[in-house]
Amino acid sequence: MDKNKLIQILIGFVSTLFLIGIIFLFPSLFGDLDENVLHSKFALRGEIKIDTSIVILYLDNDDITALGGWPLKRNYYALLINVLNELGARVIGFGIALTETNQERPEYDDLIANVVQKNNNVVLSGYFKSISNEGPNLTSRLPEGVGYRLDQKNKLLSGEEINLPFDKLLTSAYSVGHENLTADSKVPLFITSGTGLMPAFSFEILRRFLDAEKSDVVIGKSKAIIQTPVRSVEIPFNDDATVNINYPGGVNSLQAIPVVEFLQAYNLSKRGGITDIDVNKIKNKLVLVGVIAQGRSSFLSTPYSKQFPALGVHAAIIHNALHNNFVAELPKIFEYLILLLIGTAASVLIFRKNELISLLILGGIILFYTVLSYLCFLIFNLDVPITGFLFLALFLPFGLLVYKHRIVKRTMYHLESEKDAIAKKLRQREERLLRLENELKEAELKQATDKTTILLEKINKYRNELKTLKEKASDLHINIEEGAEKVEPQNFEGIIYHPQGPMQPIIEFVKKIADNDAAVLILGESGTGKELIAKAIHKTSKRSNNPFIAVNCGALSETLLESELFGHEKGAFTGAVKEKPGRFELADGGTIFLDEVAETSEAFQVKLLRVLQEGEFERVGGIETRKVNVRVIAATNRDLLSDNSAKKFRQDLYYRLSVFVVTLPPLRQRKSDIPILAEYYVNLEYRGMKISPNILEVFMKYDWPGNIREMHSAIKRSVILAKSENKDIISLSDLPPEMENLRQENIDIVDRIIESLRDKNFSRSSISETAKELGGFNRGTVAEYFRGFCFQKIVEKDFNWDETITAISETDNAEVRKKVVNKLNEYLTNALELVEKNKDTEENIIRSKPKFKNLPQKYHIYLEKIIERYTKGEFEIPQ
């Protein structure tokens, strides 16, 4: 193995050690990222139902209102506990902290205390005012019989000012547990208070469910064990006694029933009625009772829900304990060893092959490790961290890039040399072309026909060479216009547009009509984004959480379309082996988008009209009338008013569909959007790819018959071709064949710029106004073209200021000519700022390179002439 490879492997090894050191010294650096990755693993796994033995009865705001408002009378609680015990509930976790006695109705306190004492299966909840990791406050004490003895050396979280149920209720209960959460929404299994340990609410419920005594509980340094003759349950916890919950799912995974509905079902079943809720299934269940209401209970963010009730967290802990599937963390020592092994192996593999193979190997290692991490979570509930490894995978190539710095620098030098060579050749050809054109003028004056023919052939040859060279120069250089106005594109639900372009009022109109149920008709050519508009209307409406169903009416025959939209019954036609719901049924509560609606037959339009009017239809082959609540958005590229008059589209259906009409302009009428869309789609296909100025000029002139869809396709093609040649810029040769004619044209925008500036008398705001008029060009581009035009006229008029001013302004108006003089003074002063008359011309041109930076390539020759003449002292800047 040669020295370079050894150095590269050493770089990889040292980089790995460095990263391990960072993770060790700053463990929280990747903590949030690892938490997000863990959430992604939960999302991939999907939701599962919580253990069937766990039931939640909750009071929401509606229940509280129905029962007379907060606080509820305590006889309601006593009634609920009695009902649950009558139904055979095994344990009741009562998660409503009744810390104060009822001074007005003390008999209610006695009632609930007696009910709780009678059944001996109620676990109550309490809470600490605050918890911290500062160590236990030995001056505080848990009441006698509450909690467990602190006989371990773990540095657990400690609590201050515990709030427990009022004394009589506390002594009547089976046990009590805390409901505190940490700042990062974790549940401490135990919290220290003095020399005691306050267990979590869920822990005590689980102990009662298992019929275990406190003596059956063993609390170690990393886990708590509930040991009974029948069964043993282990709950692992972290150094601070918090548990890593393996959430079964979101709110929908819980078996949660509103209290009022439950009691109503109970009363109805007592009278022999049939209910949706089988209250008898409460027998032998573990029942959690609490409040789940905004403003009255705690909610936290979990992998499946941003608003998950705290009561559900305790249910999830009990579920994990019963199934022994808490999330386990990979020990740090193993994480470091894996990083070291993979980092070293990767550096050996990566740097033995060429760059492409190295990247493929690195990608394979990343993919393998990512999949392995997910499988460990899925099968073993083991969380293998991945962000540190991903950072390592990015860090290793960085070491290689540092080592290859000289090679990259040398490559950049060759690129600059190539650009300089092309620029030099371009100057030579332009100088020769100027001479030939002067010779042609003299030959025409002398009427030398033979010489004129020869000169024309040479001029055409040089013009073709100049065109090719300009294209190459443009492809090697992207103008970076310092101080240019940057337009911030707008993005409305995936619709990209210029904030002052023709789409802006359309988007504002769409926002106004989105949040109602009226039908919308979208008109526009194919490829203008009609379905995007339909989706945007749906996403910003009150139906956004319900289905969006799209149907292309023009792609199906009338029979198939009817079956597709309205569904069919089994046996309705050959091949209908089972019943099938239609798209209208699937879209119930949401939005249906009928694309190419004008392609339907008149018979079908009658059926569609009925759905719009009544919300009713029958399946094909069926007799049952079905009702749906659907918002209809239709689209077509045809003129429906003309179709009405030609009897091709029913007038009554047109008026039903066109409550709101959105007409989308074709892309050729959205000139200001073209550069924005081009940049967006290039970045969408390959971030980092650039577009040469020539490409944008072609895009601005092209008619785009296929509209946005065609642009996306053209850019996708161009990016693929550019990448295949290892280019980071799209050039003219990458464009589709249909743009061939535009590629061959010299798109000269200068005439339009100068004409516009003259019309505005070269006023202070004329450049900004011209840029706005032209669309797709910003102020900096217009200014640079005008600057170059001025340099060209100065040289062509041989530094005769009066003739130069006339050529630029084309007027005798003294005020306008004075403005041109001021511009010439400004441009020349800036351009010649770095020129020193005591130096030679070539040196001054090199020194003045920054002045060429944004100037269009074709004007470089004129600026060089100006620098040459000024160096020789042949003119002075006009004042």
Side-chain angles (χ1 to χ4, degrees), residues 433-446:
L433 182 61
L434 284 173
R435 288 196 294 270
L436 287 172
E437 288 175 341
N438 290 331
E439 289 180 25
L440 178 62
K441 289 177 183 178
E442 294 174 2
E444 288 174 341
L445 289 173
K446 295 177 181 178

Side-chain angles (χ1 to χ4, degrees), residues 320-386:
N320 290 166
L322 294 175
H323 292 267
N324 192 28
N325 65 350
F326 284 94
V327 174
E329 293 182 347
L330 186 72
K332 286 296 181 184
I333 184 64
F334 289 110
E335 180 183 352
Y336 300 151
L337 285 174
I338 290 172
L339 283 173
L340 187 61
L341 287 172
I342 292 180
T344 305
S347 60
V348 172
L349 290 170
I350 287 172
F351 302 126
R352 286 183 62 187
K353 302 291 182 181
N354 63 39
E355 187 172 334
L356 178 60
I357 295 176
S358 299
L359 291 173
L360 287 174
I361 292 173
L362 181 60
I365 293 174
I366 292 172
L367 181 62
F368 172 78
Y369 188 84
T370 303
V371 171
L372 181 64
S373 174
Y374 173 66
L375 289 176
C376 286
F377 173 77
L378 189 65
I379 300 171
F380 306 110
N381 304 306
L382 177 64
D383 181 26
V384 178
I386 194 172

Side-chain angles (χ1 to χ4, degrees), residues 15 105 344 374 401 442 468 482 517 605 691 758:
S15 300
R105 302 298 295 270
T344 305
Y374 173 66
L401 288 174
E442 294 174 2
T468 302
E482 295 177 351
D517 293 334
Q605 289 170 23
I691 311 176
R758 285 170 181 159

Side-chain angles (χ1 to χ4, degrees), residues 752-766:
R752 292 168 62 193
I753 290 175
I754 301 305
E755 182 181 349
S756 176
L757 294 176
R758 285 170 181 159
D759 288 344
K760 296 170 179 56
N761 293 326
F762 301 95
S763 66
R764 185 184 298 272
S765 61
S766 60

